[in-house]
Amino acid sequence: QTLPLYIFGESYGGKKGSEFAYELQMAVNRGEVTADLRGIANGNAWLSPEDSVMEWVPHLYYMSNLDDRGYTAVMDVATACQDAIRAEDWEEATRLWGLTENVVWANANMVDFYNILKYVGNVQ
């Protein structure tokens, strides 16, 4: 109750860690819980899957990991994923998110889109 509390989260844990910190602070403010929440930190937080997927395309293109053909191929499937998210078709959005990753790898020589200095498979 009196020790300083810092909450850390990475990837989807960043989203959940932020939500947990918010709810904890609200409970502290209401007097329901005693805690000394000092801060939160997120690493590569999966806060907005739509924004993350849509940003892969220009980022990889501007860093020369995708050529024009690859840009179009990845953008097509990323846009379909975005459409599914906006339609709240979560099953299809999840399928298309995975497909977007595969299309990135097929068109960007297996680059790791979270760390473009690394490759996750055999470069063709």
Side-chain angles (χ1 to χ4, degrees), residues 3-5 7-8 12 15 24 41 60-61 64-68 70 72 98-99 105 109 111-112 119 122 124:
L3 291 175
L5 175 63
I7 298 172
F8 297 88
Y12 192 70
K15 179 176 183 165
L24 175 63
L60 292 171
Y61 182 75
S64 298
N65 294 103
L66 290 172
D67 59 15
D68 291 340
T72 300
L99 181 60
W105 291 326
N109 294 320
V111 71
D112 181 339
Y119 290 85
N122 294 327
Q124 306 206 0

Side-chain angles (χ1 to χ4, degrees), residues 14-67:
K15 179 176 183 165
K16 289 294 155 189
S18 297
E19 184 177 337
F20 175 75
Y22 173 79
E23 293 297 334
L24 175 63
Q25 189 59 51
M26 293 300 99
V28 168
N29 292 349
R30 290 188 302 267
E32 299 169 357
V33 175
T34 302
D36 185 13
L37 179 60
R38 297 279 180 98
I40 64 170
N42 292 319
N44 194 28
W46 192 242
L47 298 175
S48 172
E50 178 181 353
D51 292 329
S52 294
V53 169
M54 294 307 295
E55 185 53 35
W56 291 338
V57 185
H59 176 70
L60 292 171
Y61 182 75
Y62 296 139
M63 297 305 294
S64 298
N65 294 103
L66 290 172
D67 59 15

